[in-house]
Each structure stands twice: as structure tokens, then as C-alpha cells.
Amino acid sequence: MRTWRGKFVFLLVVYFAGFATAIYTLAPVPENQARQLREKSSTYSALKSDEFAQSFNTGMHKCLDFGKDVARSVGRFIKQKYNDRQLRTDG
């Protein structure tokens, strides 16, 4: 179990990490660098958005199929354990 001092130090670390992240995110970027980043990101994102959507769709279908398979196997396992328990209590 942590002491209140340990919790306080942890809270301070998390607080200042968030504060530093906010400062880094909100810091101004030189105009020429910002323009280059916008141009790169817009062309890159336009080219990669369809590919990303297709990849995400495929990944989600794989995840759903895996979840269905696991649910079926868990259901069979529970049913088998229930039947075994019924047999033990009956006989």
C-alpha cells in the first residue's frame, strides 16, 4: 500500500507531465515550418485515408470474428461445466 507521500509525489509527476505536454502542444511554430507541415500532412493524409479506412475495416472484421469465436468456445465450455455439475449432483 502506498503512503500519502508516495501518492502525492506521483500526483505531482503526472500533473507536471501534463503541464509540460500542454506547453509543448501550444508553443508557436515558425511560419515556414508550419506551412511545410500543413502541405505535407494534407497531401499525405489525402493519399493514405482510403488505405487507412480499408486497413481499419479489415482489422475490425478480424477482431469481431475473433470475438465471436471466443464467445462460442466460452459458451461451449460453460455449458459443458454446467452439464458435468448437473451429472455430479444427480448421480
Side-chain angles (χ1 to χ4, degrees), residues 43-85:
T43 56
Y44 181 75
S45 65
L47 295 175
K48 296 292 183 178
S49 63
D50 291 336
E51 184 180 321
F52 173 74
Q54 184 65 30
S55 173
F56 184 79
N57 190 18
T58 303
M60 285 301 295
H61 282 290
K62 286 181 182 179
C63 182
L64 289 173
D65 290 340
F66 178 73
K68 287 178 185 178
D69 291 342
V70 169
R72 285 187 197 115
S73 64
V74 168
R76 284 192 297 266
F77 178 75
I78 291 172
K79 189 174 184 177
Q80 179 186 8
K81 291 297 180 181
Y82 179 76
N83 289 337
D84 291 346
R85 189 169 192 164

